[in-house]
Amino acid sequence: MNNTDKKQEILAAFNFRHATKEFDPTKKISDEDFQFILETGRLSPSSVGYEPWKFLVVENKDLKEKLKAVSWGAQGQIPTASHFVIILSRTDARYDSEYVLDLQKNVKEMPDDVLETLMPRYKDFQENDFHLFESKRALFDWASKQSYIALANMMTSAAQIGIDSCPIEGFNYDQVHEILKEEGLLEDGKFDISVMVAFGYRIHEPKRGKTRRSMDQVVQWIK
């Protein structure tokens, strides 16, 4: 496949993707395909490589019912989606946290001398460049931004293999937080809810084609 064909294939996937409000409950995504979708989330980039996310694949019916009761934007998706995912973001993604130090040393296998050199740079970035230490919410919101990169990659990769999706922010944050906390899924406050996403196969075609602002409305060239 040449570059032109590749570009057309990718754009076709973007045009195919839409926020699916209701899925065909009789159609299930294969294990192989869903692992592929999760892998594109896992391989996603994040600021300074902190990977501050976790993907909860919710299959438990009772938990789904609890979530549906407090998620006004997921009324059609939770009962019908093949797979329903809650994306958590870390609350402890500080440069000097136990999590970050373990990531650097044991996952990225960063030598101690390199880490020692980078730590002041990461501290300055978080504390002064982005003011992330002004509140716990500021640090969490920064981590949550990273999770949306993984979200987008998973939805796009799904669309490229003909699978539908819907990102969901239509939920009561406090109530979902309490449900996940009671279920022991927030790891003693190390995570919190960022966004939800449903995957499956559409049962209805969109009522209209893709609508977006024109290129000259969203792009400005600075010369």
Side-chain angles (χ1 to χ4, degrees):
M1 183 183 293
N2 59 41
N3 282 341
T4 299
D5 290 339
K6 286 181 180 178
K7 286 185 283 188
Q8 289 305 312
E9 185 179 272
I10 292 168
L11 288 176
F14 274 87
N15 278 294
F16 166 83
R17 192 216 62 79
H18 79 289
T20 305
K21 301 300 188 291
E22 184 181 1
F23 299 89
D24 186 339
T26 67
K27 293 182 179 179
K28 296 299 177 185
I29 300 169
S30 71
D31 290 343
E32 179 184 351
D33 284 348
F34 196 67
Q35 284 299 320
F36 161 75
I37 293 169
L38 290 174
E39 182 69 350
T40 64
R42 187 183 75 89
L43 293 175
S44 295
S46 57
S47 182
V48 293
Y50 280 2
E51 306 173 40
W53 48 57
K54 186 174 185 180
F55 311 131
L56 301 180
V57 184
V58 182
E59 297 182 311
N60 183 279
K61 291 183 179 180
D62 290 339
L63 179 55
K64 282 185 176 181
E65 285 301 314
K66 291 178 183 178
L67 293 169
K68 183 173 181 286
V70 297
S71 303
W72 56 268
Q75 296 300 295
Q77 295 91 338
I78 288 178
T80 63
S82 171
H83 291 72
F84 191 77
V85 180
I86 296 175
I87 300 180
L88 304 181
S89 293
R90 298 199 71 98
T91 62
D92 60 348
R94 277 181 58 111
Y95 75 98
D96 57 352
S97 69
E98 181 181 348
Y99 164 73
V100 168
L101 293 176
D102 177 71
L103 178 76
Q104 305 286 37
K105 292 179 180 180
N106 299 317
V107 177
K108 301 183 183 300
E109 299 181 346
M110 188 177 291
D112 288 341
D113 59 328
V114 175
L115 182 57
E116 200 171 306
T117 301
L118 288 176
M119 287 276 281
R121 175 64 266 179
Y122 291 151
K123 178 180 185 294
D124 190 51
F125 162 68
Q126 289 193 321
E127 184 173 26
N128 299 315
D129 293 344
F130 268 57
H131 308 291
L132 300 182
F133 300 158
E134 291 182 351
S135 68
K136 289 183 179 180
R137 184 58 189 255
L139 186 62
F140 172 72
D141 283 348
W142 172 76
S144 197
K145 286 179 184 179
Q146 316 313 314
S147 73
Y148 276 67
I149 300 172
L151 168 70
N153 285 344
M154 286 193 288
M155 291 193 298
T156 299
S157 66
Q160 289 182 299
I161 58 173
I163 292 172
D164 291 296
S165 62
C166 185
I168 298 162
E169 287 187 322
F171 56 86
N172 184 290
Y173 177 90
D174 292 334
Q175 290 176 313
V176 172
H177 169 90
E178 285 303 315
I179 290 169
L180 298 179
K181 181 180 177 182
E182 288 173 6
E183 295 287 333
L185 296 171
L186 300 182
E187 297 189 19
D188 295 324
K190 293 177 182 175
F191 286 96
D192 215 331
I193 175 70
S194 179
V195 65
M196 302 172 177
V197 57
F199 296 96
Y201 295 94
R202 66 187 69 178
I203 196 167
H204 303 296
E205 289 298 319
K207 294 180 180 179
R208 60 187 302 185
K210 186 77 70 180
T211 58
R212 291 291 187 274
R213 289 184 294 156
S214 65
M215 187 69 79
D216 63 351
Q217 290 177 306
V218 299
V219 176
Q220 180 179 356
W221 294 80
I222 312 298
K223 298 183 178 180

